[in-house]
Amino acid sequence: MNSPLLSVRDLRISFNGVAGPFEAVRGVSFDLGREKLGIVGESGSGKSMTGRAIMRLTPRAAMVKAQTLCLPDVDLLQASEKTMERIRGKRIGLIMQDPKYSLNPVVSVGEQIAEAYLIHTRSNASEAKRKAAAMLEAVQIRDPERVYRMYPHEMSGGMGQRIMIAMMLVSEPEILIADEATSALDVTVRLEILNLLDDLVRKRGLGLIFISHDLNLVRHFCDRVLIMYRGHVVETLKAGELDQATHPYTRGLLDAMPRIHTPRRRLPVLKRDPAW
Amino acid sequence: MVDIMKSQTPIIEIDNLIVSFGEGDDARRAVDGVSFSVLAGETFGLVGESGSGKSTILRAITGLVPSTATTLRVMGEDVSRERGKDFYRKVQMVFQDPYEALHPRHTVWRQLMEPARIQKVPDAETRAKASLDAVGLPQALRWRYPHQLSGGQRQRVAIARALMLKPEILLLDEPTSALDVSVQAEILNLLCDLQEEHGLTFLMVTHDLGVVAHMCNRTAVMQSGKLVETLPVDVLVNGGATEPYTRKLIAASEAYGEAPASLSQLTKV
Ligand SMILES: Nc1ncnc2c1ncn2[C@@H]1O[C@H](COP(=O)(O)OP(=O)(O)OP(=O)(O)O)[C@@H](O)[C@H]1O
Ligand SMILES: Nc1ncnc2c1ncn2[C@@H]1O[C@H](COP(=O)(O)OP(=O)(O)OP(=O)(O)O)[C@@H](O)[C@H]1O
Ligand SMILES: [Mg+2]
Ligand SMILES: [Mg+2]
């Protein structure tokens, strides 16, 4: 891979719990190019923490260490908070797992998207408004003019996710981290959103980190997949070769998927090996 | 899937349900004249477009949003106006957004114990421990606050909480959307076991037709506040849907599961 957009080496995140220190991320390493990198993994395995560490948005209690965590021109471990403020949203966008709680509850969703545009570009209010409305349409919001004036608590689960996607795309970041960003969308709308992201990767060279539980989506949409289990990467695969996974956790995932045409009385469950 | 339909007794009866939001020019019907009923002991799916009113229907049943209906009956009782304390024991809801169900300043343990305290459940502690085990959460997490959990851990706390009162009806809004498929399998198996042992009824919103095929007896399909059609799941998966929107949904889901040549090809279905 020629000159990655982002390099992560030996990322470790720990918390001081009542029962002693707890390592939520235990040595994660990867490079991100102008590609769609999927991250799949166990619930609680450290996917969201990894995404937040890249943005330097881990909770205060978290201790973050790494050998390398950098953009080509910025060391994210050393950068000042002021530098980070310029990077967040503008160069790296993060779509959080709980979109409705990352939005400002007292500002209409349209205004929030317009504001994000204004902060990161030299433009005026009317241009920002036009851009925000266009973004709402691009993410398949029905009746975008009316929704523009609505507030986060008035959004359905899937509308909230799309507002967040619109807000992160409007400032055209170089890297986008999408944390379960399409889980509340019906399949037809989801495919439209994926097409939009795919276009950005192909035409603008966006680097996309796509955290998802949806194996079918990852298999068809991403270029590569990291499989995470208990704080580390247990396997890296070409997305199209997910079926050839060898790690027992990944195999277990593939088996546990409910299928439309292969009914089973019970779904197989994993026997988790402490050695994984 | 439970093959035999447990009964023919409707336990949730909804006729011409209407929920409106907004005022003046912005007034819209989020749920626009929806009718269906759920039989005791069955799993009934609710699928459809994002923003079509699925969550709003569940909220209307529990009285969280005002609604009007010709009929709104749960367990034979008219709940269109008020619901007794008993209702909130027998009917539990798992919200789409776990943050909404959980109190931000209560520990996991307190989230579980609080409803039990209100309903004066005698063996609350034993139940709380068992609920955590049932959803695969380590007991060590019980002193954490919601913001100290991962998304899927929060979702499982919400499920554990709903199970605390041993409800008869569970309204499940995308209950496994934040779980990896191995944990999802454990939760779905748990729900099936509860249904077999105690005859629970599930009304379940999901975007995953694989989950619908696995869990549900019948499903309703929604688009823009209206119920497009209601059909048995075996008819749905065997190409028996008649409405164009349903056919589009199933075609997209099928294409998505197998290997499409390209993404753009998928969107054209
Ligand atoms: N503030 C905190 N204090 C202690 N532990 C925490 C805190 N926040 C998160 N954790 C723990 O860190 C681990 C990793 O969390 P993370 O949110 O990254 O998981 P995840 O892989 O995104 O899971 P999911 O798929 O369920 O969202 C989890 O076990 C979680 O309980
Ligand atoms: N409190 C509210 N105020 C105004 N409008 C609302 C409110 N709650 C929901 N709506 C609107 O009602 C419609 C239906 O929302 P609902 O949450 O029921 O959709 P849904 O089918 O659950 O969608 P999703 O699959 O995306 O979660 C949406 O257009 C939404 O904007
Ligand atoms: Mg997460
Ligand atoms: Mg919803």
Side-chain angles (χ1 to χ4, degrees):
Chain A
M1 194 189 310
N2 38 20
S3 62
L5 294 172
L6 168 75
S7 287
V8 181
R9 287 287 172 284
D10 199 23
L11 175 67
R12 292 174 182 273
I13 305 175
S14 54
F15 293 94
N16 268 327
V18 223
F22 160 71
E23 242 188 341
V25 176
R26 306 183 288 154
V28 165
S29 304
F30 63 89
D31 282 334
L32 175 73
R34 301 182 185 283
E35 61 174 331
K36 294 165 284 183
L37 175 66
I39 302 184
V40 166
E42 228 211 357
S43 169
S45 62
K47 304 180 296 294
S48 300
M49 278 301 154
T50 300
R52 290 170 67 169
I54 295 166
M55 296 286 272
R56 282 246 310 263
L57 286 175
T58 44
R60 201 173 301 170
M63 285 162 293
V64 181
K65 277 193 294 194
Q67 230 174 66
T68 313
L69 186 65
C70 67
L71 303 178
D73 54 338
V74 185
D75 181 349
L76 296 169
L77 288 168
Q78 303 295 329
S80 66
E81 189 50 30
K82 214 168 150 208
T83 309
M84 285 315 295
E85 271 165 28
R86 280 203 302 272
I87 288 173
R88 287 183 202 124
K90 179 62 196 154
R91 295 191 60 186
I92 314 177
L94 171 63
I95 302 171
M96 299 252 220
Q97 195 168 359
D98 295 289
K100 275 162 120 183
Y101 291 81
S102 332
L103 293 168
N104 184 339
V106 297
V107 179
S108 81
V109 296
E111 275 173 61
Q112 290 190 57
I113 301 169
E115 218 168 89
Y117 186 69
L118 271 177
I119 293 173
H120 298 297
T121 55
R122 286 172 215 279
S123 64
N124 55 47
S126 65
E127 164 66 11
K129 187 163 184 188
R130 203 188 53 74
K131 187 84 184 170
M135 235 20 253
L136 284 176
E137 211 164 331
V139 295
Q140 310 289 316
I141 294 283
R142 269 178 188 255
D143 208 352
E145 273 170 40
R146 188 174 59 93
V147 173
Y148 190 101
R149 298 189 299 271
M150 289 170 72
Y151 290 85
H153 75 273
E154 300 174 324
M155 298 293 104
S156 77
M159 287 163 76
Q161 287 192 331
R162 285 178 280 160
I163 299 300
M164 200 65 200
I165 294 171
M167 201 160 135
M168 286 305 140
L169 291 184
V170 77
S171 45
E172 309 196 341
E174 295 155 35
I175 296 171
L176 181 65
I177 306 167
D179 193 353
E180 299 282 351
T182 61
S183 62
L185 303 177
D186 61 278
V187 188
T188 50
V189 169
R190 186 179 300 164
L191 291 171
E192 297 285 349
I193 300 286
L194 294 180
N195 257 325
L196 183 72
L197 294 174
D198 194 48
D199 261 3
L200 294 175
V201 175
R202 277 187 298 115
K203 295 187 186 141
R204 272 216 359 255
L206 174 80
L208 178 66
I209 298 179
F210 201 91
I211 302 174
S212 174
H213 288 306
D214 188 334
L215 297 178
N216 283 332
L217 186 165
V218 165
R219 174 183 359 224
H220 298 315
F221 175 67
C222 294
D223 301 308
R224 286 191 302 145
V225 203
L226 309 181
I227 315 287
M228 283 186 69
Y229 184 84
R230 286 240 198 113
H232 65 150
V233 176
V234 294
E235 195 164 25
T236 306
L237 295 155
K238 280 192 189 151
E241 293 170 5
L242 191 61
D243 281 333
Q244 288 143 47
T246 53
H247 194 277
Y249 172 69
T250 322
R251 300 286 345 149
L253 280 186
L254 292 165
D255 286 343
M257 217 172 11
R259 297 191 180 87
I260 299 181
H261 291 293
T262 339
R264 290 173 288 185
R265 254 193 73 73
R266 278 182 90 74
L267 294 167
V269 296
L270 271 177
K271 287 225 165 36
R272 293 178 174 78
D273 185 336
W276 289 353
Chain B
M1 197 199 311
V2 182
D3 312 304
I4 29 146
M5 209 155 279
K6 289 275 161 59
S7 76
Q8 293 299 322
T9 324
I11 194 163
I12 302 175
E13 298 159 84
I14 297 175
D15 190 23
N16 197 23
L17 178 71
I18 295 170
V19 180
S20 308
F21 291 114
E23 275 155 31
D25 283 351
D26 274 350
R28 288 289 181 288
R29 284 185 175 182
V31 178
D32 190 6
V34 162
S35 308
F36 66 92
S37 53
V38 180
L39 303 178
E42 83 169 324
T43 302
F44 190 93
L46 208 46
V47 304
E49 205 176 32
S50 167
S52 62
K54 304 179 296 294
S55 300
T56 306
I57 290 178
L58 300 195
R59 285 163 186 281
I61 295 172
T62 50
L64 286 166
V65 293
S67 63
T68 64
T70 318
T71 311
L72 186 58
R73 295 166 74 83
V74 176
M75 294 176 289
E77 271 178 52
D78 179 11
V79 294
S80 58
R81 267 182 211 91
E82 50 183 19
R83 294 157 187 79
K85 192 170 161 190
D86 223 28
F87 177 92
Y88 293 102
R89 187 175 61 76
K90 290 182 173 163
V91 183
Q92 287 286 309
M93 173 149 162
V94 176
F95 288 82
Q96 180 169 17
D97 194 334
Y99 263 128
E100 198 170 335
L102 302 179
H103 192 295
R105 291 181 205 290
H106 287 180
T107 60
V108 168
W109 189 248
R110 187 151 172 214
Q111 316 269 1
L112 297 178
M113 296 298 281
E114 201 71 7
R117 192 180 60 77
I118 292 165
Q119 296 280 351
K120 301 194 172 62
V121 171
D123 56 343
E125 293 208 7
T126 324
R127 277 199 202 179
K129 273 190 199 140
S131 294
L132 285 176
D133 286 341
V135 298
L137 288 175
Q139 298 290 335
L141 288 190
R142 63 160 86 159
W143 307 120
R144 298 245 190 108
Y145 293 90
H147 71 270
Q148 297 174 319
L149 299 172
S150 79
Q153 288 166 343
R154 261 194 302 273
Q155 193 165 39
R156 283 182 278 166
V157 172
I159 296 171
R161 196 174 99 127
L163 297 178
M164 277 296 291
L165 297 176
K166 302 195 171 160
E168 291 172 26
I169 299 175
L170 266 181
L171 308 175
L172 302 158
D173 199 348
E174 308 256 13
T176 60
S177 63
L179 303 177
D180 66 276
V181 285
S182 70
V183 177
Q184 169 176 278
E186 285 162 20
I187 299 288
L188 296 183
N189 287 343
L190 168 72
L191 292 175
C192 290
D193 291 346
L194 288 172
Q195 188 164 56
E196 258 170 47
E197 282 164 37
H198 305 291
L200 264 69
T201 306
F202 301 134
L203 173 53
M204 185 176 193
V205 176
T206 174
H207 285 303
D208 187 336
L209 288 193
V211 171
V212 172
H214 178 68
M215 293 291 290
C216 300
N217 305 96
R218 294 187 299 146
T219 190
V221 183
M222 293 203 54
Q223 190 181 26
S224 319
K226 293 211 159 69
L227 209 150
V228 185
E229 68 181 313
T230 302
L231 68 176
V233 165
D234 49 353
V235 174
L236 177 77
V237 301
N238 292 315
T242 50
E243 291 298 320
Y245 179 71
T246 316
R247 298 182 73 91
K248 183 175 156 185
L249 206 60
I250 189 108
S253 296
E254 278 173 345
Y256 189 77
E258 274 97 63
S262 74
L263 198 68
S264 51
Q265 210 170 318
L266 261 184
T267 4
K268 296 211 181 74
V269 285

